[in-house]
Amino acid sequence: MRLHKIFALLYHDALVFSRVKWRLVETFYFPITSIIIWGFFALYMKQFALEAGLMVLALNIFWNFAYIAQSNTNMQMMEDTWSGSLKQIFLSGINEFEYLLARIIFSSVVSTIVLLLLVSVSLVFGLSVITTYLGVVSLLFAVTLLASIAMSVLVAAIVITMGKEYGFLAWTILQLFVLLSAPFFSVDVFPEPIKSVSSVMPYTAIFENARNLVINGAISQPLLVTGTEIALVYLIISLPLYKFAFDRARRTGYLVKLT
């Protein structure tokens, strides 16, 4: 890895990100306003079931964090494709993994900033469990980030293989994975076939532990380990797929169509 190539692309990303207004709105406005909406919902739910309102608020933070960490990486890649700048980037000598790493680093930094803002807003609405169990919550967020990075690499591999017409996966695929990860309810609600699928989703263990933390003030360590292992498996599988897709696109000349 050549750090100067990665830093150059990070600087490029920062400039583009700061100048594209819709990206700023999508990254900051929607997550923050969503947390405010669910924050007021949590206040309203106090008269019925305090834990339910706080649980929904907490899970929305994890959901927004996961979405931004994954989608930002892939959206940056798609913008390079749509704008035609991908060709210039690779002509500069950067390789496929330096390109990917720069995208992941920038997205991780942005999503972490958004996460801190979301957590700060949630404290106003009484989600004190985050500060009370800061170490545990930090671990859950770290696993969430790991899973989202793996998802972003997987999406990149799919788009490179199937074509930029499938760029919509950059902002849609996570919705399906979150649905199958049972965010606001137990996996037991699912029919039996879907339970099996849910057990290997990257966010299932994260959401279950987040719910347990809000309601019971504790998490399942075996479940945390399982969630980490699943996220790592996704990453281990997605990286070779990305490499294979990129090499195949370069060999067949399809990479030229992407640029």
Side-chain angles (χ1 to χ4, degrees):
M1 290 289 179
R2 295 163 296 179
L3 292 180
H4 68 285
K5 293 285 186 181
I6 295 172
F7 287 139
L9 193 51
L10 285 171
Y11 178 68
H12 166 270
D13 287 344
L15 288 179
V16 172
F17 184 80
S18 64
R19 293 172 182 173
V20 180
K21 301 299 184 293
W22 71 265
R23 287 289 305 278
L24 292 172
V25 170
E26 183 181 59
T27 302
F28 293 98
Y29 172 76
F30 285 113
I32 291 173
T33 52
S34 294
I35 294 303
I36 292 174
I37 291 170
W38 287 110
F40 282 116
F41 171 78
L43 291 179
Y44 171 72
M45 285 297 293
K46 278 186 178 181
Q47 58 187 309
F48 305 108
L50 175 60
E51 291 83 2
L54 293 178
M55 182 188 73
V56 171
L57 179 60
L59 290 168
N60 267 281
I61 294 176
F62 279 93
W63 188 339
N64 275 286
F65 179 52
Y67 172 77
I68 295 168
Q70 174 267 313
S71 65
N72 255 352
T73 299
N74 295 128
M75 283 303 299
Q76 287 170 294
M77 293 179 170
M78 292 313 304
E79 283 176 11
D80 289 337
T81 299
W82 293 326
S83 67
S85 62
L86 188 63
K87 182 177 182 179
Q88 283 70 36
I89 291 174
F90 283 114
L91 284 175
S92 70
I94 197 168
N95 66 43
E96 62 269 26
F97 280 109
E98 291 168 343
Y99 174 76
L100 178 65
L101 181 58
R103 293 289 183 255
I104 289 172
I105 291 174
F106 185 79
S107 181
S108 298
V109 170
V110 171
S111 58
T112 300
I113 292 172
V114 174
L115 174 62
L116 293 175
L117 291 172
L118 297 183
V119 168
S120 299
V121 172
S122 70
L123 294 176
V124 176
F125 294 104
L127 193 63
S128 58
V129 67
I130 291 180
T131 53
T132 303
Y133 303 100
L134 184 59
V136 174
V137 172
S138 298
L139 284 175
L140 289 177
F141 281 131
V143 178
T144 303
L145 180 60
L146 177 63
S148 297
I149 288 172
M151 285 295 302
S152 67
V153 179
L154 183 61
V155 171
I158 293 172
V159 172
I160 292 172
T161 300
M162 302 185 70
K164 57 186 175 183
E165 308 86 51
Y166 289 84
F168 64 87
L169 293 175
W171 64 90
T172 60
I173 196 169
L174 193 81
Q175 189 88 348
L176 176 61
F177 276 77
V178 168
L179 168 62
L180 295 173
S181 297
F184 301 118
F185 46 86
S186 171
V187 174
D188 295 332
V189 174
F190 285 138
E192 202 59 45
I194 301 181
K195 285 183 185 178
S196 301
V197 176
S198 183
S199 66
V200 294
M201 288 292 101
Y203 302 106
T204 302
I206 297 167
F207 288 139
E208 186 171 343
N209 261 331
R211 292 196 303 269
N212 289 337
L213 190 62
V214 174
I215 296 173
N216 304 316
I219 66 166
S220 166
Q221 290 188 357
L223 196 60
L224 178 62
V225 172
T226 299
T228 305
E229 290 173 345
I230 291 175
L232 284 171
V233 168
Y234 270 79
L235 185 62
I236 291 169
I237 292 173
S238 63
L239 285 171
L241 286 176
Y242 171 78
K243 173 66 173 173
F244 173 78
F246 202 97
D247 288 346
R248 178 177 174 275
R250 179 186 284 140
R251 187 174 60 254
T252 59
Y254 191 73
L255 188 62
V256 177
K257 296 182 180 179
L258 286 174
T259 58

